[in-house]
Amino acid sequence: MEKKIYPRDFDKEIVYLKNVITKPNIEIGDYTIYNDYVHDPRDFEKNNVLYHYPIHNDKLKIGKFCSIACGAKFIFNCANHSMKSLSTYTFPIFFDEWNLDSANIREAWDNKGDIVIGNDVWIGYEAVILSGVTIGDGAIIGARAVVTKDVPPYTIVGGVPAKPIRKRFDDKTIEKLEKIRWFDWPQDKIKESIEFIQHGNIDELMKMYGVINNG
């Protein structure tokens, strides 16, 4: 993919997200795509990563081969007005108005941590991921779901707040997928294995894993 922005030259609604990111506190894996038919998908940082102010130094980390649908939002810590205070008003931000110490601005918000998205995750239309959430490899986030808690690998969640619907595969298949981590393979080996991946042939994929590891 190198520095290629559009996976398909004729389609300006889908971008390789890694190649349009400019902020150092956003990390995107190879081949992860974002689709937006409302706004320019190159404006992902501005339109989809919200309340992500440098003062918190919180991070958005998204793995490889993820598919992010139009309007998905990632809401960070500066949206979390402090619950420790008797008021939710952000007095520390307006320190000059209230004669407060400017060094304590971060007290205006609760800090719940980074947002970490695994590999091969599908995030549906207008889903919302809140700060502090980790989503495991292979998970699926339903359209307009609001994710407030961690999502296990290869689990489908949906709703407000998002709750588990079912696992994508049986436990043995998930165990194998977590072991082989096909998305970390060299590109040529992924190309050789696409048919197995697409048709759910975990046994052949395991054989390819053995070939890779036995050199």
Side-chain angles (χ1 to χ4, degrees), residues 119-132:
N119 304 281
D120 192 26
V121 173
W122 174 19
I123 299 177
Y125 174 75
E126 290 189 346
V128 176
I129 317 298
L130 299 187
S131 57

Side-chain angles (χ1 to χ4, degrees), residues 90-134:
T90 52
F91 286 107
I93 297 177
F94 310 110
F95 56 87
D96 48 352
E97 179 78 10
W98 301 101
N99 297 321
L100 299 174
D101 186 348
S102 62
N104 296 327
I105 291 178
R106 290 184 63 170
E107 292 182 359
W109 311 284
D110 290 338
N111 188 351
K112 298 184 178 182
D114 299 337
I115 295 176
V116 180
I117 312 297
N119 304 281
D120 192 26
V121 173
W122 174 19
I123 299 177
Y125 174 75
E126 290 189 346
V128 176
I129 317 298
L130 299 187
S131 57
V133 165
T134 294

Side-chain angles (χ1 to χ4, degrees), residues 143-214:
R144 290 183 170 166
V146 177
V147 185
T148 63
K149 296 180 180 179
D150 292 353
V151 178
Y154 297 97
T155 300
I156 302 171
V157 301
V160 182
K163 295 180 180 179
I165 297 172
R166 63 178 175 86
K167 294 181 179 180
R168 290 181 57 195
F169 310 107
D170 61 74
D171 290 342
K172 288 185 178 180
T173 300
I174 291 174
E175 184 179 346
K176 291 176 181 178
L177 285 167
E178 290 183 319
K179 179 179 181 179
I180 65 179
R181 296 180 62 84
W182 64 265
F183 36 76
D184 288 335
W185 294 0
Q187 184 186 59
D188 63 324
K189 296 303 179 185
I190 294 176
K191 285 182 177 180
E192 291 179 34
S193 307
I194 285 177
E195 182 178 352
F196 307 142
I197 294 170
Q198 288 186 310
H199 292 90
N201 195 332
I202 189 66
D203 293 331
E204 290 298 325
L205 210 57
M206 286 294 292
K207 291 179 184 177
M208 181 62 74
Y209 171 74
V211 169
I212 293 170
N213 283 273
N214 293 324

